[in-house]
Amino acid sequence: MARELYRSEALRQRAERLFPGGVSSPVRAFVAVGGQPPFVAKAKGAFLWDADANRYLDYFGSWGPMILGHAFPPVVEAVARAAQNSVSFGASCEAEGTLAELVVKAFPSIEKMRFVSSGTEAAMSAIRLARAHTGRKYVVKFEGCYHGHADALLVKAGSGVATFGVPGSAGVPEEVAGLTLALPFNDLGPVEEVFARLSGQIACVLIEPVAGNMGCVAPRPGYLEALRRITASDGSLLIFDEVMTGFRVAFGGAQEIFAIQPDLTCLGKILGGGLPCGAFGGRAEIMDGLAPRGPVYQAGTLSGNPLAMAAGIATLTHLAEHRGKIYSSLERNGRTLADGVAHAAREAGIAITTNQFGSMLTWFFTSGPVNDFAGAAASDTATFARFHQAMLNAGIWLPPSQFEAAFLSAAHTPADIDFTIEAAREVFAKKG
Ligand code: KE4
């Protein structure tokens, strides 16, 4: 059933005149899946409504923040209350410390932190701090991992597996990209080779401990532990980018699950309950390098914004109070959804690999396995695009790219999961 998108189409035509690609962020343009993206008018719980009043089950959840569902009453009330006292001060306020105390309790590796307004700012600032703290210039990242759009991190692998990076975007100078090495995820060989060749020269290793930006890909057993060991012995900092996994895969993020203490952690998304908010933090002896205490400059007009703090406090307080029930339910529903859709695909003779980690999951249209970006890139993206379009027409809004993770919220019910699996079965039966 094709959905009528008259109002969305009118809004899209205006947006095309005003914004490059008609969007505020590229993935929203549906380039990878085709079709016209509906414009969202409102959302509540697990559902979105577009400008033509079509309803959708939401499985991208604002790309991670909406773990409690949209318009969660305690969050809405907290933001409304805070807004009565102005929406921004540009000065220290009580709410910053209140949210920070919730963070350091959830992340024992964080003694001190700094709020910023996005995950990009968190990662960008964390590597600057790591370079200053170590006096070193090289940064190691991993193919398929995304840490926001700072120049140093828009870098792809060079010609050889463990060679210096090349620009991953126009506008990134080779000189900048050449200070970053992009290695294969889940493969220790290139890491050991690079640390042998550049011993004492690598400022940090930055990783998504559970990758979400190549689609969902978990670390192999022992992989993260080995990165912790290698970086510690070389005096390089290990930075966990938990912008997506923080408060998502567990209340204390991936580092709680794997019992690993990184030197620095980047946070975002759920931290601000859906308002613009990021943070980076770690041991005080590292963080005290930041201005005005230390020589590393970092700043932000809206850092610690009172509304973002209020939304974050309401979100993390609810998660903390109900963490047992919420995370076990997210794991159960995530597993049921992942397996149910995969089973339906296999019944229809469609090759599919499912990677699920708590309430993050991706269906890769390949026989797999998918343990790194090369494995993800083997997916049949045309089949994914047809699947995405057919599911959207069935009222199910999946992330519009094979290389993104889908997210469940605490508002998704078992009935929603069953509805989604049945819709997928019908789509696959028509060779979606
Ligand atoms: P932001 O600057 O978009 O707040 O955060 C960048 C970022 C950093 N680290 C991780 C692990 C991330 O997943 C992200 C942003 N994620 C994407 C979705 N995969 C945001 C969606 C978008 O770019 O529109």
Side-chain angles (χ1 to χ4, degrees):
M1 176 265 287
R3 293 170 160 250
E4 299 306 342
L5 298 179
Y6 298 117
R7 179 88 181 114
S8 276
E9 181 52 21
L11 292 172
R12 188 188 64 77
Q13 289 175 17
R14 179 179 68 172
E16 287 281 355
R17 293 195 300 273
L18 294 164
F19 313 120
V23 292
S24 295
S25 197
V27 71
R28 306 178 188 179
F30 277 29
V31 172
V33 294
Q36 294 307 349
F39 276 57
V40 176
K42 66 175 184 176
K44 177 72 178 163
F47 293 93
L48 301 161
W49 282 263
D50 68 19
D52 297 279
N54 298 303
R55 190 183 79 159
Y56 306 84
L57 261 174
D58 177 8
Y59 283 110
F60 61 103
S62 183
W63 302 98
M66 310 319 286
I67 192 168
L68 294 176
H70 290 284
F72 186 66
V75 172
V76 174
E77 288 152 20
V79 172
R81 226 177 4 258
Q84 300 299 325
N85 299 324
S86 181
V87 296
S88 182
F89 304 136
S92 296
C93 67
E94 180 178 355
E96 290 170 291
T98 306
L99 182 56
E101 283 180 337
L102 288 164
V103 171
V104 299
K105 199 172 170 193
F107 289 83
S109 69
I110 297 178
E111 291 177 339
K112 283 191 176 179
M113 56 185 284
R114 166 78 46 99
F115 285 115
V116 292
S117 297
S118 69
T120 293
E121 276 190 271
M124 173 179 78
S125 309
I127 63 172
R128 180 181 312 133
L129 183 59
R131 283 171 159 159
H133 183 76
T134 60
R136 305 177 181 184
K137 58 185 177 180
Y138 293 119
V139 169
V140 170
K141 73 175 292 288
F142 297 91
E143 286 277 78
C145 289
Y146 174 70
H147 308 286
H149 60 88
D151 282 359
L153 297 171
L154 288 181
V155 171
K156 57 187 183 187
S159 52
V161 162
T163 54
F164 295 117
V166 296
S169 163
V172 174
E174 287 176 357
E175 295 82 351
V176 171
L179 297 175
T180 302
L181 295 105
L183 306 181
F185 187 79
N186 262 335
D187 182 354
L188 284 174
V191 177
E192 288 159 344
E193 182 191 331
V194 156
F195 269 86
R197 182 155 49 88
L198 298 172
S199 174
Q201 300 179 65
I202 296 171
C204 60
V205 169
L206 175 62
I207 191 164
E208 291 182 60
V210 175
N213 285 288
M214 59 179 105
C216 181
V217 178
R220 290 182 197 279
Y223 178 66
L224 297 175
E225 292 80 352
L227 293 181
R228 177 63 290 177
R229 189 175 62 253
I230 292 167
T231 48
S233 65
D234 181 75
S236 177
L237 298 189
L238 178 61
I239 304 177
F240 273 11
D241 179 346
E242 298 228 42
V243 167
M244 185 182 284
T245 53
F247 311 106
R248 167 62 61 181
V249 298
F251 189 64
Q255 58 195 270
E256 173 189 309
I257 292 175
F258 294 103
I260 292 177
Q261 295 235 329
D263 298 297
L264 290 174
T265 299
C266 301
L267 296 169
K269 296 183 191 279
I270 294 170
L271 174 67
L275 269 69
C277 183
F280 60 107
R283 293 195 307 277
E285 49 111 1
I286 303 175
M287 293 300 293
D288 284 342
L290 281 176
R293 176 79 176 263
V296 181
Y297 195 69
Q298 186 283 331
T301 301
L302 299 176
S303 299
N305 171 272
L307 265 62
M309 299 297 101
I313 291 165
T315 300
L316 297 198
T317 300
H318 186 85
L319 286 171
E321 283 173 7
H322 305 278
R323 63 194 291 182
K325 175 171 169 289
I326 288 178
Y327 289 99
S328 58
S329 168
L330 286 171
E331 168 57 36
R332 194 170 47 252
N333 283 343
R335 176 48 65 198
T336 303
L337 176 64
D339 291 351
V341 169
H343 180 67
R346 290 191 190 101
E347 276 182 327
I350 295 170
I352 196 164
T353 295
T354 304
N355 286 1
Q356 174 254 339
F357 201 100
S359 56
M360 287 171 60
L361 61 98
T362 301
W363 297 287
F364 295 96
F365 286 88
T366 175
S367 49
V370 177
N371 295 310
D372 56 19
F373 184 65
S379 302
D380 179 342
T381 51
T383 298
F384 178 85
R386 288 194 300 275
F387 177 58
H388 183 275
Q389 282 177 7
M391 292 292 272
L392 193 68
N393 282 331
I396 293 152
W397 194 331
L398 301 173
S401 166
Q402 172 68 91
F403 308 114
E404 292 286 357
F407 298 101
L408 270 80
S409 79
H412 286 79
T413 66
D416 296 329
I417 306 299
D418 293 344
F419 174 80
T420 305
I421 294 167
E422 191 45 42
R425 182 172 289 110
E426 289 173 20
V427 165
F428 291 140
K430 296 174 196 159
K431 291 293 180 197

